[in-house]
Amino acid sequence: MIPDRLILSFDRALRTVFGPSRGSRPVPGEDLAEPELTPVERAEAAALMRVNHVGEVCAQALYQGQALTARDFTAKATLAQAAAEEVDHLAWTERRIAELGGRRSLLNPLWYASSYAIGALAGLAGDRWSLGFLAETERQVVAHLESHLNRLSHQDARSRAVLTAMKRDEAKHATSALHLGGSELPLPYRALMRVASKVMTTTAYWV
Ligand SMILES: [Fe+2]
Ligand SMILES: [Fe+2]
């Protein structure tokens, strides 16, 4: 018999990859006016938002994979709480892509599957490393959101509001993972994660 949690996990994967996602908090900046952007600025914003959406698809998969194998109950509850906030990010970026006339990545099933496997492996390594991995992931996401804020048009207050709110949440996720006992990952792992994230962000910008 197939365990219930595998079915739930699969259901969540389908909703993440094919959408639509429903967040619990309102979209940041939704009361701001839609900016007047040049076609180039609009295309750039849509591509950056696609990259961020892929990041959130990966975040869902990482959290789900980790929750599958994480042992400690406190860590599980915290991971579930953070994963719920990531659903907001998923919904916010999905909506902003649509507003900008962009599209989501065609490779989302692939991003999800690979991140799920990585998350499950990190979970197997034990809570200390799993939480350390989470903290490092979130820190890299914060840096990457910062770089997108620098690339976005200053006129695009709606996109900026979404990324700024996400950045605040991700920094909080990193801190809570460390407070729960996450260890600093050895340098080669951090470097490897940076390479993997570069491959993902570069590909998702185009596809
Ligand atoms: Fe996120
Ligand atoms: Fe996060």
Side-chain angles (χ1 to χ4, degrees):
M1 213 175 85
I2 304 170
D4 283 357
R5 74 175 181 183
L6 265 189
I7 296 175
L8 283 176
S9 215
F10 190 64
D11 177 62
R12 189 143 188 170
L14 290 179
R15 276 186 289 129
T16 302
V17 170
F18 299 107
S21 302
R22 278 175 67 121
S24 55
R25 292 174 290 171
V27 184
E30 65 180 346
D31 47 347
L32 299 170
E34 186 59 50
E36 297 268 340
L37 299 176
T38 66
V40 171
E41 285 171 339
R42 183 168 291 273
E44 169 79 352
L48 294 180
M49 213 45 84
R50 174 167 57 247
V51 172
N52 292 314
H53 181 264
V54 167
E56 296 303 328
V57 167
C58 293
Q60 284 301 313
L62 285 173
Y63 276 108
Q64 292 302 313
Q66 275 185 303
L68 186 74
T69 52
R71 276 162 245 161
D72 178 66
F73 181 70
T74 324
K76 263 191 177 168
T78 308
L79 291 179
Q81 161 69 26
E85 293 182 357
E86 304 293 3
V87 176
D88 289 342
H89 300 172
L90 195 65
W92 299 344
T93 47
E94 200 175 289
R95 160 127 159 224
R96 192 62 195 136
I97 288 173
E99 288 173 353
L100 289 162
R103 57 162 181 77
R104 299 186 298 168
S105 172
L106 300 172
L107 302 176
N108 277 342
L110 179 73
W111 303 128
Y112 192 96
S114 46
S115 301
Y116 190 89
I118 293 170
L121 276 179
L124 280 179
D127 291 336
R128 194 177 137 216
W129 297 115
S130 171
L131 290 165
F133 171 76
L134 177 61
E136 178 59 24
T137 306
E138 298 285 8
R139 275 199 296 231
Q140 291 190 13
V141 174
V142 169
H144 142 98
L145 287 170
E146 189 69 58
S147 79
H148 281 197
L149 281 165
N150 290 331
R151 285 169 70 180
L152 274 176
S153 158
H154 281 281
Q155 311 294 322
D156 193 353
R158 284 174 75 94
S159 297
R160 303 184 76 82
V162 166
L163 298 195
T164 304
M166 282 167 56
K167 200 179 104 180
R168 200 169 43 228
D169 285 348
E170 315 297 19
K172 189 183 70 185
H173 297 161
T175 310
S176 68
L178 291 175
H179 280 162
L180 280 166
S183 288
E184 195 70 59
L185 296 189
L187 186 63
Y189 285 94
R190 281 184 275 150
L192 191 67
M193 285 167 71
R194 242 175 253 124
V195 172
S197 122
K198 187 79 199 161
V199 170
M200 182 280 271
T201 54
T202 309
T203 314
Y205 184 87
W206 301 104
V207 190

